[in-house]
Amino acid sequence: MKNKHFSNQQIKFIVILLASSIILAFLILVLIERMFFLPGGISYPFDSKNPRKTPKVFLEMKISTDQVPNSKILPVSIYLDTQGKKVDGVGIDILYDPNFLEIDASGIITESPELAKVIFPVKEAPQGELKFSLISSINRYFEGKGKIATLNFKVLQEGVTDLNFRFRPGATDDCNVVLYKKGIDILEEVKGGGEILLTYDKKEI
């Protein structure tokens, strides 16, 4: 049997064909992964009406709805989730009804060593607005999620009232979260707050 010899041109053609097949197979695998797999190995059919949601940087307000103790102090917790980004400043802007609630600078308690400095506490009593900022020390930053402040509101009377963040996407004069050493507001969402029922704990009176 005679040995079959390939010409240089045939060998070159075979090499190009093999290389093209490998590249095509790789592109198909990448496409399949992007269409059918989520992080964590969960497989599901791709739905163009429900695209993957990117986690947002947010502030959250958690209010105790229990009865107000005899001290008439309502603690409100403020949480921050930076989604892994580094930040060195947070601006808090809260709206409340001054007929029901009262607060001043002494009622602001910092909860994070990375955001331990309180600056520009402002109380605008006529319309019920509390504005202040938490900032970090030089070369320090907050990253991740956690409780950053507690606000101790004094309850003036029982009843139904509202307590909310003041936030408009893109605005710079309300709630904001500042990217570390960049001075860019990256806050995308606020959560919590709303209508609350204030009642005194009759057992303590």
Side-chain angles (χ1 to χ4, degrees), residues 33-52:
E33 180 183 8
R34 291 187 177 183
M35 290 182 63
F36 294 98
F37 292 93
L38 282 172
I42 301 175
S43 175
Y44 77 114
F46 179 74
D47 185 357
S48 61
K49 295 181 180 180
N50 297 288
R52 302 178 193 176

Side-chain angles (χ1 to χ4, degrees), residues 18-204:
L18 289 173
S20 300
S21 299
I22 293 172
I23 293 173
L24 180 60
F26 175 77
L27 292 175
I28 292 173
L29 287 174
V30 171
L31 181 62
I32 291 173
E33 180 183 8
R34 291 187 177 183
M35 290 182 63
F36 294 98
F37 292 93
L38 282 172
I42 301 175
S43 175
Y44 77 114
F46 179 74
D47 185 357
S48 61
K49 295 181 180 180
N50 297 288
R52 302 178 193 176
K53 293 183 179 180
T54 303
K56 294 182 178 181
V57 176
F58 67 86
L59 284 169
E60 183 173 12
M61 180 191 306
K62 293 186 179 181
I63 306 169
S64 172
T65 56
D66 295 334
Q67 291 179 318
V68 180
N70 196 31
S71 62
K72 297 183 180 180
I73 297 298
L74 178 71
V76 176
S77 301
I78 306 297
Y79 291 83
L80 169 64
D81 191 337
T82 71
Q83 303 299 339
K85 297 180 176 67
K86 299 176 181 179
V87 303
D88 55 12
V90 178
I92 306 294
D93 192 341
I94 292 179
L95 300 175
Y96 63 94
D97 187 340
N99 294 310
F100 287 89
L101 298 170
E102 183 180 77
I103 191 171
D104 55 27
S106 65
I108 302 172
I109 302 172
T110 60
E111 301 285 0
S112 169
E114 291 82 16
L115 295 168
K117 294 184 178 180
V118 182
I119 60 172
F120 307 129
V122 177
K123 179 190 174 187
E124 300 174 5
Q127 62 267 38
E129 183 175 13
L130 176 69
K131 299 179 69 173
F132 66 96
S133 296
L134 300 175
I135 62 172
S136 64
S137 301
I138 297 175
N139 295 325
R140 296 198 69 179
Y141 56 82
F142 180 95
E143 180 181 11
K145 57 184 177 181
K147 187 176 181 179
I148 60 172
T150 296
L151 310 179
N152 287 323
F153 282 87
K154 182 178 180 181
V155 179
L156 303 179
Q157 62 174 313
E158 295 180 301
V160 177
T161 187
D162 291 308
L163 189 62
N164 294 290
F165 284 118
R166 179 171 173 262
F167 173 68
R168 296 163 297 166
T172 57
D173 62 342
D174 51 18
C175 290
N176 56 78
V177 175
V178 182
L179 192 62
Y180 178 58
K181 290 189 175 181
K182 298 293 184 180
I184 301 172
D185 182 11
I186 60 172
L187 181 62
E188 300 171 282
E189 186 179 15
V190 295
K191 301 179 180 182
E195 187 178 272
I196 55 174
L197 174 63
L198 300 173
T199 58
Y200 296 138
D201 188 348
K202 302 301 189 295
K203 295 179 181 179
E204 296 190 15

